[in-house]
Amino acid sequence: ARGESWLQVTDASGRVLLSRTLTAGESVPLTGKAPFRLIVGRAELVSIVYQGANQTYPAAMQTGLARLSVPAPAL
């Protein structure tokens, strides 16, 4: 997190892995079963890295509240 933001992460089994405010400079490693569902408040301040690769937000979700799955479902 590059600033105060909020993150909730749920794994494929529906288990909430994290649900709290993050502070600037904080990094939170998580373990669970993919895909993960994320709700990110102040998304512009949060970088998501999955298996060593930076995940990008869809253009409409780059600021404010973002809801996404990681890894993204295959098309």
Side-chain angles (χ1 to χ4, degrees):
R2 292 180 301 283
E4 188 172 289
S5 52
W6 184 81
L7 178 62
Q8 178 175 311
V9 181
T10 306
D11 73 3
S13 69
R15 184 172 60 127
V16 176
L17 304 176
L18 180 76
S19 183
R20 65 177 177 82
T21 300
L22 303 177
T23 59
E26 187 172 4
S27 177
V28 182
L30 298 173
T31 303
K33 183 175 171 138
F36 301 96
R37 298 211 181 273
L38 287 74
I39 302 173
V40 187
R42 299 187 73 196
E44 67 275 13
L45 299 175
V46 177
S47 297
I48 306 295
V49 178
Y50 178 70
Q51 294 184 337
N54 286 328
Q55 304 296 301
T56 58
Y57 296 104
M61 296 182 196
Q62 290 179 357
T63 61
L65 182 67
R67 295 175 188 265
L68 63 149
S69 291
V70 176
L75 298 176

